[in-house]
Amino acid sequence: MVVSVMENRKAHWENVFANKQEKEVSWYQQKPETSINFFTENNISKDAKIIDIGGGDSYLIDSLLDLGYTNLFLLDISANAIERIKNRLGAKSEKVTFIVSDVLDFQPKTTFDVWHDRASFHFLTTEKEIEMYKNLVSNSISENGFMFLGTFSENGPLKCSGLEITQYSEEKFERIFGTNFSKMNCFTENHQTPFDTTQNFIFCTFKKK
């Protein structure tokens, strides 16, 4: 039987979330300040339809709930990751729509006002996958909606969680998304992992044309 790339990807992430504690993964943040700042600086309304792509069991959803956001979606390829965050949120999890899916299989029935993706997009490494993602976001974000992307920069690591990634620059982002989105701002930032290593990220805010 031929195992597809997506099946391999899913198996990898199910294994990660089944066997590693939250502080045993490099992307752990107790409080995702950079992402939270995006929401506050852009005055994202509390009823905006927000989706977090590849959010796993990150603490962004907790922070958004605490800030009063009411229309939250979280997509992750790993059912184990979704189960972990549901358990942590307890009764609050009923306020979030959870979707277990590879992002490239995702067929939303609605459009979103905010598309947030920190450290998920860079796992797509072929031109075909990147093109599929570009088409997905272009069709899934409402007019004047926002896309906030964070990936490893060209000064960041070449791998994450044992998988190869695609590094990005401001220019590279613009080449991919510039047709359908206007770039608002980009910046780089160091992320300190729980293992005391440093990963350089680039974050860009785009607005749908």
Side-chain angles (χ1 to χ4, degrees):
M1 187 181 84
V2 177
V3 179
S4 73
V5 171
M6 289 184 184
E7 286 172 322
N8 273 334
R9 193 150 55 209
K10 180 171 176 62
H12 174 87
W13 291 114
E14 292 295 12
N15 182 58
V16 167
F17 285 103
N19 293 296
K20 288 184 182 286
Q21 299 303 308
E22 60 178 20
K23 292 185 182 177
E24 294 178 323
V25 294
S26 64
W27 55 86
Y28 170 77
Q29 292 177 305
Q30 178 67 52
K31 190 166 185 185
E33 297 279 5
T34 304
S35 294
I36 294 165
N37 289 343
F38 158 79
F39 286 92
T40 55
E41 288 168 5
N42 290 288
N43 297 312
I44 304 299
S45 67
K46 294 297 191 282
D47 62 350
K49 199 176 290 184
I50 297 162
I51 187 163
D52 186 19
I53 300 296
D57 60 354
S58 88
Y59 279 75
L60 176 62
I61 290 291
D62 311 56
S63 300
L64 293 177
L65 286 167
D66 290 344
L67 287 167
Y69 286 93
T70 59
N71 206 346
L72 301 174
F73 296 73
L74 188 150
L75 177 144
D76 201 274
I77 195 171
S78 168
N80 287 327
I82 298 288
E83 208 50 44
R84 276 178 25 169
I85 190 169
K86 280 183 176 178
N87 289 337
R88 189 179 75 227
L89 289 172
K92 285 184 182 178
S93 67
E94 294 173 14
K95 299 179 179 180
V96 182
T97 300
F98 293 97
I99 303 154
V100 178
S101 176
D102 186 304
V103 67
L104 298 183
D105 283 335
F106 184 38
Q107 296 179 325
K109 296 179 174 63
T110 185
T111 55
F112 300 96
D113 302 308
V114 177
W115 180 284
H116 175 277
D117 180 335
R118 175 187 178 268
S120 178
F121 174 56
H122 64 197
F123 285 107
L124 305 179
T125 56
T126 69
E127 283 187 25
K128 182 181 177 183
E129 289 177 332
I130 291 165
E131 183 74 13
M132 287 171 71
Y133 187 99
K134 180 187 83 169
N135 291 336
L136 175 64
V137 295
S138 299
N139 293 325
S140 302
I141 300 176
S142 54
E143 191 176 348
N144 293 318
F146 291 90
M147 175 171 63
F148 184 66
L149 276 182
T151 69
F152 287 164
S153 77
E154 292 182 336
N155 295 315
L158 292 167
K159 284 191 171 186
C160 182
S161 185
L163 299 177
E164 290 188 1
I165 60 90
T166 304
Q167 295 176 323
Y168 284 94
S169 64
E170 190 169 337
E171 294 72 27
K172 201 168 179 179
F173 271 143
E174 284 198 277
R175 278 200 304 273
I176 295 167
F177 300 107
T179 304
N180 298 305
F181 293 87
S182 300
K183 184 196 72 183
M184 295 177 68
N185 71 306
C186 291
F187 59 93
T188 56
E189 184 177 274
N190 282 331
H191 165 63
Q192 209 67 25
T193 74
F195 327 120
D196 287 329
T197 57
T198 301
Q199 298 173 332
N200 192 249
F201 272 78
I202 180 166
F203 292 93
C204 283
T205 301
F206 292 91
K207 198 164 190 180
K208 180 80 178 288
K209 290 181 180 176

